[in-house]
């Protein structure tokens, strides 16, 4: 992924610049005098406004207070300390996404609400895998909208991956079943299955996803090997309720948080990571093919507060 290319940290930093700018400004305003309770309250408020959630904000402020109370601190020191404390909140929530070290074909299901970035993330992953020599089959499991199939086809072509689709309205589970059978027969390394983010209603969507999973297990009891929940950071704390819904109803093996470049509230990754049973595996920092990165807690935390690598 982008980490193999030059400057991945730069991409992360510029992606998170809207989040870090908001924090940097406030850090400068808050820490003009030796640290007292009023400033600590402002720090806590700032962290809550940045969507880190009340629990993490409270813990970070407490730890900060223990270390720095009554001292004069420079902006740089504040940021270093914050980055360290945010890292501590996130370090146990890192997870690796490595479809090439698992069984073949390795089946990955992408789930999440409409517009969260499923198709784009799938496309970025496909491009990364084919560039590493893997044979990839992309499956247009969002059979609900014709435009969704076309969009995915564009990504498949760009990535040099094979593509399977059905006419609009076709049964997604049947398509997924056939795709994994084909992948087995033809020796594919990875199968990436896109899904719809919206059907007639929420329960309809959940039922369909459960059916896709049930049917996949008929071909391979271990499939899907990964169920990636794609969450859009720009929706802020709504991402938490989506995590809750999909996590409880479907079961998730990893989270992808997208559009961290499009928001001043990238901090929402913190409460999502802490609420979820599954780790954060990847983050999206742009619409381009290289704008997907493995989640690195330390790098994320430093970028979030506006620090260099
Ligand atoms: N800025 C930004 N845009 C993204 C990112 N990921 C996806 N998008 C955009 O979000 C929109 C919805 O993405 P799409 O993949 O179609 O979502 P889906 O409905 O879940 O399949 C598209 O315009 C994407 O280009 C990201 O990491 N950053
Ligand atoms: Mg889509």
């Amino acid at each position: 992924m982008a980490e193999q290319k030059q400057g991945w940290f730069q991409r992360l930093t510029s992606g998170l610049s809207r989040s870090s700018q908001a924090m940097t400004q406030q850090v400068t305003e808050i820490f003009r005098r030796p640290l007292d309770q009023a400033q600590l309250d402002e720090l806590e408020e700032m962290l809550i406004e940045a969507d880190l959630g009340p629990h993490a904000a409270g813990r970070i402020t407490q730890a900060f207070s223990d270390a720095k109370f009554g001292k004069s601190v420079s902006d740089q020191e504040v940021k270093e300390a914050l980055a360290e404390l945010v890292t501590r909140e996130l370090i146990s929530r890192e997870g690796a996404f490595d479809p090439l070290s698992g069984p073949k074909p390795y089946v990955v299901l992408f789930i999440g609400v409409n517009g969260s970035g499923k198709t784009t993330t799938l496309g970025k992953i496909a491009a990364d895998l084919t560039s590493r020599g893997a044979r990839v089959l992309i499956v247009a499991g969002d059979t609900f909208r014709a435009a969704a199939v076309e969009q995915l086809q564009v990504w498949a072509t760009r990535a040099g991956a094979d593509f399977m689709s059905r006419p609009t309205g076709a049964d997604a589970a049947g398509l997924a079943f056939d795709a994994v059978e084909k992948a087995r027969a033809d020796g594919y390394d990875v199968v990436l299955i896109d899904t719809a983010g919206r059907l007639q209603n929420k329960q309809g969507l959940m039922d369909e996803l459960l059916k896709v999973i049930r049917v996949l297990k008929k071909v391979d009891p271990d499939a899907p090997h990964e169920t990636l929940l794609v969450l859009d950071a720009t929706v802020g704390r709504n991402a938490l309720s989506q995590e809750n819904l999909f996590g409880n109803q479907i079961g998730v093996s990893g989270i992808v948080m997208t559009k961290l470049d499009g928001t001043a509230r990238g901090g929402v990754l913190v409460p999502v990571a802490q609420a979820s049973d599954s780790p954060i595996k990847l983050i999206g920092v742009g619409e381009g093919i290289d704008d997907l990165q493995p989640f690195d807690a330390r790098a994320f935390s430093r970028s979030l507060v506006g620090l260099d690598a």
Side-chain angles (χ1 to χ4, degrees):
M1 250 143 259
E3 103 267 35
Q4 289 145 349
K5 306 197 167 61
Q6 276 290 310
W8 71 273
F9 192 87
Q10 226 47 54
R11 272 172 194 276
L12 176 62
T13 302
S14 69
L16 276 166
S17 62
R18 289 176 70 179
S19 296
S20 59
Q21 268 162 23
M23 282 216 198
T24 298
Q25 254 177 20
Q26 294 195 54
V27 161
T28 308
E29 279 166 29
I30 297 173
F31 294 97
R32 287 214 185 99
R33 19 175 239 280
L35 193 59
D36 60 23
Q37 191 55 47
Q39 288 159 293
L40 286 168
D41 291 345
E42 283 179 56
L43 174 66
E44 186 166 0
E45 205 171 297
M46 173 190 102
L47 295 171
I48 292 172
E49 267 169 36
D51 272 349
L52 273 82
H55 302 297
R59 277 191 301 269
I60 290 170
T61 305
Q62 184 59 51
F64 196 82
S65 149
D66 293 345
K68 307 280 181 196
F69 198 81
K71 292 182 196 158
S72 281
V73 277
S74 68
D75 286 7
Q76 184 68 18
E77 273 180 281
V78 172
K79 289 187 192 175
E80 290 284 352
L82 280 181
E84 180 55 38
L85 294 169
V86 177
T87 303
R88 234 188 266 172
E89 294 285 325
L90 289 174
I91 196 79
S92 67
R93 310 305 305 139
E94 282 178 349
F97 176 69
D98 190 7
L100 298 185
S101 66
K104 288 179 205 305
Y106 195 86
V107 180
V108 186
L109 191 66
F110 293 77
I111 65 173
V113 303
N114 229 25
S116 62
K118 290 180 297 299
T119 302
T120 306
T121 300
L122 188 159
K124 292 170 179 175
I125 289 173
D128 173 61
L129 292 172
T130 54
S131 78
R132 286 152 65 191
R135 286 195 65 213
V136 176
L137 181 60
I138 291 179
V139 186
D142 183 354
T143 54
F144 198 60
R145 299 179 303 132
V149 178
E150 284 160 30
Q151 181 197 2
L152 190 61
Q153 167 103 64
V154 170
W155 274 107
T157 306
R158 205 181 288 170
D162 290 338
F163 183 71
M164 249 179 104
S165 68
R166 292 268 165 87
T168 310
D171 178 34
L175 170 62
F177 181 92
D178 290 350
V180 176
E181 281 215 314
K182 173 185 162 66
R184 265 196 169 168
D186 296 354
Y188 282 88
D189 298 303
V190 182
V191 183
L192 304 175
I193 305 176
D194 199 10
T195 64
R198 187 197 298 135
L199 291 179
Q200 294 75 7
N201 57 56
K202 198 159 56 182
Q203 201 49 50
L205 174 61
M206 295 301 144
D207 290 346
E208 161 136 326
L209 292 173
L210 289 170
K211 182 175 163 197
V212 168
I213 292 170
R214 230 172 22 243
V215 166
L216 282 173
K217 290 195 184 303
K218 290 186 182 161
V219 198
D220 178 351
D222 293 331
H225 303 92
E226 284 269 5
T227 302
L228 292 180
L229 173 62
V230 181
L231 297 173
D232 171 353
T234 65
V235 306
R237 295 183 66 80
N238 276 341
L240 273 170
S241 48
Q242 291 172 19
E243 188 287 317
N244 197 278
L245 176 69
F246 284 92
N248 288 336
Q249 297 227 19
I250 310 297
V252 167
S253 66
I255 290 173
V256 184
M257 182 139 271
T258 64
K259 308 191 202 179
L260 283 166
D261 57 304
T263 180
R265 308 191 127 188
V268 74
L269 184 140
V270 175
V272 167
Q274 294 180 339
S276 176
D277 293 334
S278 41
I280 311 276
K281 297 206 163 173
L282 298 161
I283 57 173
V285 292
E287 294 183 273
I289 204 160
D290 290 328
D291 294 325
L292 187 72
Q293 305 186 347
F295 174 61
D296 175 322
R298 182 174 180 276
F300 174 85
S301 304
R302 292 187 70 80
S303 290
L304 183 68
V305 303
L307 284 175
D308 295 335

